[in-house]
Amino acid sequence: MVFTPSPLLLKLLYNRGSLHNLPDQQGVAFRIKNRLDTVCLTGVEEVRIGSQVVPASAIELDLDGERRPATSLGPAAGQALELPVGQELTFVLATPPLPAGLHQLQVRFSTDAFGALSVEVEDAIGTIDSHGRIPRAADDDYAEAPIRARQEFAERFTGQAFEHLKQYSFDPHALRGNCEHFVGVAQVPVGLAGPLAVRGEHAQGEFLIPLATTEGTLVASYNRGMQVLNLCGGVKCTVVGDAMQRAPVFVFDDARGARDFSRWVTENLGLIRPQAESTSRVARLQYIDAYLAGKFAYLRFNFSTGDAAGQNMVSRATFAACSWMLENYPGAPIRHFYLESNVATDKKASQINVLRTRGKRVVAEATVRRDVLLQRLRVTPEQLAYHGQVSNVGAFLSGANNNGLHSANGITALFIATGQDVANVSESSAAVLYTELTPEGDLYLNITIPSLIVATHGGGTGLATQNEYLRMLGCVGEGTVNKLAEIVAGVVLAGELSLGAAISSSDWVSSHEQYGRNR
């Protein structure tokens, strides 16, 4: 299904900052990027730069290094140019160089899906950058030659010789879509903890846990917590929620316009949903939350995204839905639209994610016997429960939005090992910890991770070592993302138990001195 682009969105086709003069007076060039949907370019009418008109006969189109005349497109020529979504297309104009400064551009072209389109923007010819530029190759930037050129450039620029960063065991071409300007690797030590006995709905059994870290005592501490949990029957883990968001904002003339629009969105969810879901075979729009402030309507689109983390997936889906909404809303005029408003709180901890879920909402829980606590952690259940109450007051006083101890440690170490987007630790590390004494005098504890963003498909999960560590966890293949989420939650609970006991028993400093001292 192809959606209709709004005039507000057409401006986004142009890549701002791409206007430039070609070397040796060979003309002027700029780029557009297909941010809408896969289409075929069926014709180019003209380009206007200020008062200058550049006809199709003076325009060439460059797609992935292959040039063709703009006049080769159209009914007369019988040809079209397929332009997949996300693809950039360079317009090369046979005109004299432009002076530095601002220029008004208008690009008139047509596509099979949208018909005639006109994009009007302002761009600038900048001054020449006199600083050194990182070498790259337009045809194959992951070949041996451009990688070696970047390594030599870094050595010349810094005056340092590099040895270890150049040593890696995989084909750099596998990094397309994961890393630009590839120069080498950062080798992070990985320690094994566990095995951890997990009693989940998706993760069932014992799992060796790879933790990538440079922090002494981290692996040992998590390993200790896992041993204690295993002695008490393992950790019970449950995924209780799943949602990934994009949160656009629509700007109106007044508050009534925003209010009426939000009501229209609720009433027309059945029409909006297929527009969003047309962009992916996986993304499913669950619901849309509306938050109103002043003349702004903030919408929080909530999707399920299969085994992918899904941030890019939901961006495209939300973009498609919003384009349809901009074109079809019958009410007050929409003055501005932005695809993200900060209400999704991407890469940021927030209270809305604690309450409403972002990624997977997963709970890990266990009952630890009194005798095991005394023998293995040198604390009583009463000590840990009371310590939890005291630390809750501290979290409240500090303004923290959660009361976990150090969930970011285990989550970050697992994220690095398994190819997750490490910046997602910002929201994933929020954890709500709860403890209570059982009638038998044991300690029941659970931890809720309300915004755990993990993936077993896409991103860095398919890279060489990252995929091997996912295979170590048995989390490769379709339908394994909830399994990974349950394992992560179990690891976090083991770490909370171990650190809480270390602080309560005053072993914290001595343990770091014994295992983590590196000075």
Side-chain angles (χ1 to χ4, degrees):
M1 181 184 298
V2 177
F3 55 87
T4 303
S6 161
L8 279 174
L9 300 182
L10 285 177
K11 289 181 181 293
L12 299 179
L13 292 175
Y14 182 82
N15 266 15
R16 290 191 182 275
S18 66
L19 183 65
H20 64 283
N21 293 317
L22 295 173
D24 303 323
Q25 308 234 341
Q26 294 182 13
V28 175
F30 62 84
R31 295 188 300 276
I32 65 169
K33 182 175 182 178
N34 183 3
R35 295 179 171 93
L36 300 177
D37 209 333
T38 297
V39 296
C40 285
L41 193 67
T42 56
V44 175
E45 182 179 338
E46 66 180 20
V47 172
R48 291 177 178 265
I49 305 178
S51 60
Q52 178 186 9
V53 178
V54 184
S57 58
I59 301 173
E60 286 187 314
L61 304 174
D62 187 328
L63 184 64
D64 288 333
E66 295 185 14
R67 285 195 186 185
R68 68 172 67 189
T71 53
S72 67
L73 305 180
Q79 293 189 32
L81 178 63
E82 184 178 7
L83 194 63
V85 65
Q87 181 69 57
E88 288 189 346
L89 178 66
T90 301
F91 283 66
V92 180
L93 315 179
T95 62
L98 295 173
L102 295 172
H103 297 277
Q104 302 294 324
L105 276 77
Q106 182 186 42
V107 188
R108 298 170 65 87
F109 59 96
S110 57
T111 69
D112 58 344
F114 305 133
L117 300 175
S118 177
V119 178
E120 299 182 34
V121 295
E122 181 181 64
D123 206 354
I125 295 284
T127 56
I128 297 176
D129 185 359
S130 61
H131 298 82
R133 289 206 169 193
I134 297 173
R136 66 177 307 273
D139 54 341
D140 183 1
D141 204 36
Y142 297 90
E144 181 181 349
I147 295 171
R148 187 170 58 251
R150 282 191 287 273
Q151 293 168 347
E152 293 171 353
F153 171 78
E155 289 179 329
R156 289 194 309 272
F157 192 89
T158 62
Q160 301 289 324
F162 302 115
E163 175 187 357
H164 300 288
L165 65 82
K166 301 177 183 178
Q167 300 180 30
Y168 45 87
S169 60
F170 54 86
D171 182 356
H173 290 89
L175 298 174
R176 291 184 188 274
N178 290 103
C179 181
E180 300 78 37
H181 296 174
F182 174 69
V183 70
V185 296
Q187 300 183 65
V188 182
V190 178
L192 281 182
L196 172 65
V198 180
R199 296 182 291 110
E201 294 177 311
H202 306 275
Q204 299 173 1
E206 295 188 343
F207 300 90
L208 281 176
I209 307 301
L211 297 173
T213 183
T214 57
E215 179 185 348
T217 75
L218 185 145
V219 177
S221 178
Y222 277 86
N223 189 66
R224 183 174 80 146
M226 293 174 195
Q227 291 175 346
V228 169
L229 292 177
N230 291 345
L231 290 171
C232 299
V235 56
K236 183 177 182 180
C237 301
T238 310
V239 176
V240 298
D242 180 8
M244 178 51 65
Q245 294 80 24
R246 188 55 60 214
V249 58
F250 297 78
V251 182
F252 295 85
D253 288 328
D254 54 31
R256 293 179 187 177
R259 178 199 63 188
D260 294 344
F261 174 72
S262 68
R263 291 175 177 173
W264 178 84
V265 169
T266 300
E267 294 166 357
N268 289 273
L269 181 59
L271 298 175
I272 296 169
R273 178 176 284 114
Q275 302 296 324
E277 296 180 354
S278 69
T279 64
S280 169
R281 65 178 181 83
V282 174
R284 293 292 176 265
L285 178 60
Q286 301 175 28
Y287 56 94
I288 301 174
D289 288 328
Y291 301 94
L292 303 180
K295 58 181 182 179
F296 310 128
Y298 297 89
L299 302 183
R300 188 169 153 109
F301 283 66
N302 295 268
F303 293 86
S304 59
T305 58
D307 289 309
Q311 290 99 320
N312 294 332
M313 183 191 303
V314 304
S315 294
R316 187 179 177 215
T318 304
F319 191 88
C322 290
S323 181
W324 182 87
M325 293 156 64
L326 288 165
E327 191 70 18
N328 290 276
Y329 179 57
I334 299 170
R335 298 305 184 188
H336 297 286
F337 158 76
Y338 303 99
L339 183 60
E340 180 51 57
S341 62
N342 242 352
V343 174
T345 64
D346 209 351
K347 307 294 195 298
K348 292 178 287 294
S350 69
Q351 193 62 30
I352 194 172
N353 286 341
V354 172
L355 291 173
R356 298 291 286 156
T357 302
R358 180 169 170 81
K360 305 294 184 287
R361 192 179 195 91
V362 57
V363 179
E365 52 191 332
T367 299
V368 183
R369 299 198 313 269
R370 171 180 291 271
D371 62 323
V372 174
L373 278 177
L374 289 168
Q375 294 166 7
R376 294 301 182 112
L377 298 182
R378 293 182 290 279
V379 292
T380 66
E382 290 81 4
Q383 277 181 277
L384 281 181
Y386 182 71
H387 183 187
Q389 292 180 343
V390 175
S391 64
N392 282 342
V393 175
F396 172 76
L397 289 176
S398 68
N401 73 335
N402 68 92
N403 68 338
L405 296 178
H406 71 143
S407 58
N409 265 333
I411 292 174
T412 303
L414 266 170
F415 274 21
I416 294 173
T418 60
Q420 309 300 312
D421 186 340
V422 182
N424 286 330
V425 172
S426 298
E427 52 256 75
S428 297
S429 61
V432 182
L433 181 64
Y434 173 77
T435 60
E436 69 178 30
L437 293 172
T438 70
E440 295 77 22
D442 299 324
L443 180 73
Y444 167 81
L445 71 163
N446 71 42
I447 196 159
T448 300
I449 308 176
S451 48
L452 179 63
I453 302 174
V454 291
T456 56
H457 177 78
T461 62
L463 298 182
T465 60
Q466 290 82 354
N467 190 258
E468 288 186 352
Y469 285 122
L470 281 173
R471 286 197 284 117
M472 182 181 291
L473 293 168
C475 291
V476 171
E478 188 174 352
T480 55
V481 69
N482 286 337
K483 180 180 181 181
L484 179 60
E486 289 181 345
I487 293 171
V488 173
V491 170
V492 169
L493 189 66
E496 299 294 287
L497 175 61
S498 180
L499 179 58
I503 298 172
S504 290
S505 65
S506 298
D507 282 340
W508 188 24
V509 174
S510 61
S511 296
H512 269 273
E513 286 295 305
Q514 180 179 357
Y515 297 107
R517 187 171 182 178
N518 184 19
R519 59 180 184 268

